[in-house]
Amino acid sequence: IPVERIRNFSIIAHVDHGKSTLADRILELTGAITKQEGQHQVLDNLQVERERGITVKAQTASIFYKYKDQQTYLLNLIDTPGHVDFSNEVSRSLAACDGVILLVDACHGVQAQTVANYHLAKQRNLIVVPVLNKIDIKHAQPEKVIQDLQFLFQIDPKTVLQVSAKLGLGIKEVLNRVIESIPPPQVQREQEFRALIFDSWFDKYRGALNLIYILNGHLEQGQEIQSMATKKIYPLKTISILRPKECDVKSLSAGQVGLIACNMRNSKESIIGDTIYLKNQIVQSAGNYTPQKPLVFAGIFPVDQSKHVALRSAIDKMILNDSAVTLMVDSSPALGQGWRLGFLGLLHMEVFCQRLEQEHNAEPIITAPSVTYRIVLNNPRMIKQMGKNTLDISNAALFPEPSNIKEYYEPLVMGTIITPSEYVGQIIALCIDRRGVQQSSINIDETRILMTYVLPLSEIILDFHDRLKSLSSGYASFSYEDHGYHLTNLVRLDIHLNGRPVEELCRIVHATKATGIARQMVHKLKDLIPRQMVQIAIQACVGSKVLARETIKAYRKDVTAKLYGGDVTRRMKLLRQQAEGKKKMRMFANIRVPHETFINVLKR
Ligand code: GDP
Ligand code: MG
């Protein structure tokens, strides 16, 4: 297929606005899947996505579509993730696109991620095809939403398409518009082969599979490719396209999106954002793409060092399927040899850890998540030793003594919030509590307000999104992106159990919030740690100063003792809970701490 008849695009939308449903309808219409498959796929996808609240694995599809001119066009639909944690990651998928379908729910209207994704597309100079979805719903307000699109993005109302992805109405018009308004890829087929790796995942039998976008030339079976990042050479095993099922092809040409397998073994070899080319050729980097930067870091350690190798291999496989996670070796006096992982947000981290447990049977120790702080040292000896005077630190346990630090910096985000006006007061109060500074506030229409806030990243990673949702009965939406560093004042908060510091719970916090967080943490720990045979003193300290303390009294009797002769099922349940509890306990001297405590204690 000639380049002029290729279109590369993705669908961007706020979560639940119908992106997956529209993608399925497009696949059905073009015969890539049958109606039944469509239903299955929708169900399967939804189940996984609903359970975890995010698109776990991007689905990309190459579609052949016969346009009015009776010519067959190749449409490459490139998927983007749909959760607030991942809004920065949308850029990665857009690197292979020339345009986007901006899909907006005609009932709920423009939401925070609609705005954020629109701006990402505009930054890349992509053509935007505006589409309203769910027009079958009785209380849909397409006219109002079209007005919002005009007001916020200067979109011409005449260009807005209206569809029902659920009922399959208006889908053809969308594809026709994609062909008419999105330009073909700007690529040269006569030049040396060059491609961008923009996604990768792990296959048990074939190793890493790389999704590539070809910028120049052709790739054929039997050729050898080289990685620009590692300079390693690989013979191609398979070349295929996703329709969305994998179909082998003999070759791929510039403008196309395809999948290659070439015996790359792990995440160090298969690098998203890397350029590949034919062995020993010299080409320029395909690098109009910078990889996603993780924002939240946590240490991960095997429960005992005999599990080290198994955990490493489980993590490696997980990372191949989730390349946004970064990995560094880490070690700790208390926890031994382990790793420091970087995530896009707390949800991303929770999903990763949950899958590690479920799919790989790993039960690692995970430390309190932290953002990356930047410190400027004032101790000449340390500066000399480090060879620099600034340090980026995401591991609270590695924070130098305050006397060695001249300045502290913390990462900020630019947040976008869209809310019905009646919740504005409470939302502003929440943002102030989280040290947010308002940048702008505009009325989208009579009922809704769009606000932007600069917020410290550390204040939003844990529970900001949940709080916002519950304050607004689910109506407010939020999206954020990186906004650099600013000068701040930090302290290290340590938690001691019976005088012994618990490294997993050590945190860096803003100085003005230390006492509040200290009280909250000890209070929560008192609830989360079960009573035991010994009395437990919980203390939160900054340096040698104790900011808060609580005590958990020791048991006097066996839990079930007073139930003897009583309700048998109740007793069984208690015993079962105890047994289950035992599996996932972390020991501190003689104190048992349930595994999930380490994450739960951080949620407000
Ligand atoms: P995504 O999060 O953007 O991928 O959204 P989904 O495709 O998962 O859709 C979210 C929900 O909206 C699902 O319950 C769909 O069945 C529903 N939905 C999607 N499109 C339509 C539509 O055109 N009309 C109606 N009534 N519901 C729709
Ligand atoms: Mg979806």
Side-chain angles (χ1 to χ4, degrees):
I1 289 195
V3 176
E4 304 75 58
R5 280 193 265 124
I6 299 180
R7 299 291 182 274
N8 294 331
F9 67 104
S10 79
I11 306 173
I12 54 176
H14 192 76
V15 68
D16 279 346
H17 282 200
K19 190 167 65 96
S20 303
T21 313
L22 177 63
D24 278 323
R25 286 301 99 75
I26 291 176
L27 292 177
E28 270 171 30
L29 181 85
T30 55
I33 54 172
T34 63
K35 268 228 157 63
Q36 273 117 357
E37 275 180 316
Q39 272 152 11
H40 268 147
Q41 197 177 359
V42 170
L43 291 178
D44 287 349
N45 282 347
L46 287 182
Q47 202 179 1
V48 179
E49 289 179 19
R50 289 274 173 274
E51 255 176 35
R52 296 171 177 159
I54 55 166
T55 302
V56 173
K57 194 65 230 169
Q59 288 224 305
T60 290
S62 298
I63 300 157
F64 293 97
Y65 177 67
K66 202 168 225 178
Y67 182 57
K68 290 187 275 203
D69 58 7
Q70 294 308 309
Q71 301 274 23
T72 297
Y73 284 72
L74 170 58
L75 309 180
N76 291 309
L77 170 56
I78 291 151
D79 201 12
T80 53
H83 186 273
V84 52
D85 264 12
F86 302 84
S87 59
N88 282 335
E89 205 192 0
V90 171
S91 323
R92 166 177 105 193
S93 317
L94 296 186
C97 293
D98 302 290
V100 295
I101 295 175
L102 181 71
L103 189 69
V104 185
D105 183 324
C107 304
H108 294 110
V110 173
Q111 297 294 336
Q113 280 154 262
T114 320
V115 176
N117 289 339
Y118 173 83
H119 290 307
L120 283 176
K122 275 294 168 190
Q123 275 162 24
R124 293 189 157 270
N125 290 319
L126 303 183
I127 297 293
V128 173
V129 175
V131 178
L132 297 191
N133 187 28
K134 309 199 187 182
I135 53 157
D136 59 291
I137 295 180
K138 256 210 316 278
H139 57 269
Q141 299 177 293
E143 293 77 25
K144 189 158 167 285
V145 180
I146 289 173
Q147 267 178 21
D148 291 357
L149 289 172
Q150 184 176 22
F151 174 69
L152 288 169
F153 312 135
Q154 292 78 51
I155 286 175
D156 178 357
K158 292 195 293 289
T159 62
V160 181
L161 297 171
Q162 302 195 19
V163 308
S164 165
K166 188 171 168 187
L167 303 182
L169 299 174
I171 312 299
K172 247 199 164 102
E173 286 70 17
V174 172
L175 291 180
N176 291 344
R177 182 68 68 76
V178 164
I179 289 172
E180 288 150 14
S181 56
I182 296 175
Q186 307 297 302
V187 295
Q188 274 83 39
R189 288 191 167 167
E190 288 68 42
Q191 295 177 4
E192 284 301 335
F193 168 76
R194 173 172 80 123
L196 174 76
I197 299 182
F198 72 96
D199 201 354
S200 84
W201 56 91
F202 190 79
D203 182 277
K204 236 197 275 185
Y205 305 105
R206 295 190 289 165
L209 303 181
N210 297 308
L211 200 54
I212 60 171
Y213 171 57
I214 299 148
L215 288 102
N216 298 110
H218 307 266
L219 183 66
E220 276 165 35
Q221 263 176 15
Q223 285 180 318
E224 286 182 297
I225 55 154
Q226 190 163 12
S227 147
M228 187 169 280
T230 65
K231 301 287 180 283
K232 281 195 187 158
I233 294 170
Y234 303 90
L236 279 173
K237 293 283 171 202
T238 58
I239 314 179
S240 53
I241 58 174
L242 299 169
R243 311 189 50 190
K245 285 203 193 95
E246 201 180 335
C247 293
D248 283 352
V249 293
K250 288 210 173 59
S251 67
L252 288 170
S253 302
Q256 280 193 278
V257 169
L259 191 68
I260 58 168
C262 57
N263 276 352
M264 288 184 178
R265 286 268 152 246
N266 54 43
S267 52
K268 287 215 185 78
E269 294 182 71
S270 165
I271 302 163
I272 293 189
D274 192 8
T275 304
I276 56 169
Y277 45 91
L278 293 181
K279 182 172 99 173
N280 299 332
Q281 296 291 334
I282 294 165
V283 301
Q284 283 202 329
S285 156
N288 58 342
Y289 164 80
T290 38
Q292 167 71 10
K293 268 193 312 202
L295 297 173
V296 179
F297 295 82
I300 183 162
F301 295 87
V303 179
D304 64 75
Q305 291 294 321
S306 71
K307 304 260 166 61
H308 189 273
V309 174
L311 182 59
R312 167 77 211 212
S313 120
I315 291 174
D316 239 0
K317 281 182 187 134
M318 287 285 302
I319 289 183
L320 268 170
N321 288 317
D322 189 349
S323 48
V325 179
T326 59
L327 175 78
M328 280 179 313
V329 172
D330 195 6
S331 71
S332 128
L335 303 170
Q337 295 296 318
W339 303 272
R340 183 138 285 260
L341 298 180
F343 301 97
L344 302 176
L346 190 69
L347 173 78
H348 186 211
M349 167 172 159
E350 281 180 299
V351 167
F352 185 91
C353 297
Q354 188 193 333
R355 293 183 60 193
L356 205 55
E357 285 188 14
Q358 288 176 351
E359 295 168 26
H360 298 276
N361 264 324
E363 278 182 17
I365 295 163
I366 293 148
T367 66
S370 166
V371 302
T372 303
Y373 294 102
R374 183 163 294 164
I375 54 173
V376 178
L377 297 167
N378 64 10
N379 177 335
R381 196 172 38 81
M382 283 180 75
I383 295 172
K384 197 162 174 214
Q385 196 186 340
M386 305 274 182
K388 56 185 175 187
N389 68 345
T390 51
L391 288 183
D392 283 353
I393 298 189
S394 63
N395 183 349
L398 296 181
F399 243 65
E401 285 298 312
S403 61
N404 297 319
I405 299 175
K406 184 160 107 196
E407 285 163 353
Y408 298 90
Y409 293 84
E410 68 178 331
L412 299 174
V413 298
M414 176 65 81
T416 302
I417 299 169
I418 292 185
T419 175
S421 359
E422 62 256 47
Y423 306 111
V424 161
Q426 285 150 287
I427 291 176
I428 289 176
L430 173 68
C431 290
I432 291 172
D433 175 55
R434 300 302 172 88
R435 301 189 282 129
V437 179
Q438 195 178 72
Q439 306 298 302
S440 70
S441 170
I442 52 169
N443 295 303
I444 300 177
D445 49 42
E446 317 81 67
T447 56
R448 296 199 314 150
I449 295 186
L450 184 157
M451 296 186 286
T452 55
Y453 268 89
V454 169
L455 290 147
L457 177 63
S458 63
E459 297 281 352
I460 64 159
I461 53 171
L462 295 180
D463 63 346
F464 183 82
H465 195 230
D466 292 347
R467 294 284 303 134
L468 188 76
K469 283 283 176 198
S470 71
L471 280 181
S472 64
S473 311
Y475 285 113
S477 60
F478 177 64
S479 178
Y480 64 87
E481 55 198 271
D482 204 353
H483 194 65
Y485 276 76
H486 85 151
L487 190 63
T488 187
N489 194 7
L490 306 169
V491 295
R492 187 174 106 185
L493 187 65
D494 290 310
I495 301 289
H496 294 208
L497 295 183
N498 285 351
R500 216 188 122 182
V502 181
E503 196 179 312
E504 290 96 316
L505 294 175
C506 165
R507 288 171 75 182
I508 301 301
V509 298
H510 194 250
T512 59
K513 294 204 155 180
T515 306
I517 293 175
R519 289 203 184 117
Q520 201 185 301
M521 280 182 77
V522 294
H523 188 76
K524 272 210 115 162
L525 283 169
K526 188 180 176 180
D527 282 346
L528 291 167
I529 299 175
R531 292 179 95 186
Q532 315 191 7
M533 303 308 284
V534 292
Q535 174 165 310
I536 304 169
I538 309 168
Q539 292 173 310
C541 318
V542 168
S544 56
K545 196 165 149 211
V546 178
L547 300 186
R549 71 169 289 151
E550 291 276 358
T551 307
I552 302 174
K553 293 227 169 65
Y555 276 137
R556 259 163 285 146
K557 291 194 200 103
D558 182 301
V559 239
T560 60
K562 57 178 169 292
L563 294 171
Y564 275 114
D567 182 341
V568 176
T569 52
R570 169 116 192 270
R571 202 172 90 227
M572 294 295 285
K573 192 171 158 206
L574 262 174
L575 288 171
R576 202 167 53 235
Q577 276 171 355
Q578 271 194 331
E580 263 169 26
K582 270 206 194 83
K583 276 198 306 208
K584 298 192 178 179
M585 292 284 184
R586 194 53 192 116
M587 296 294 296
F588 290 96
N590 49 356
I591 306 168
R592 290 180 295 126
V593 180
H595 230 236
E596 61 279 6
T597 305
F598 303 113
I599 283 192
N600 288 340
V601 71
L602 300 171
K603 296 183 179 165
R604 297 185 209 197

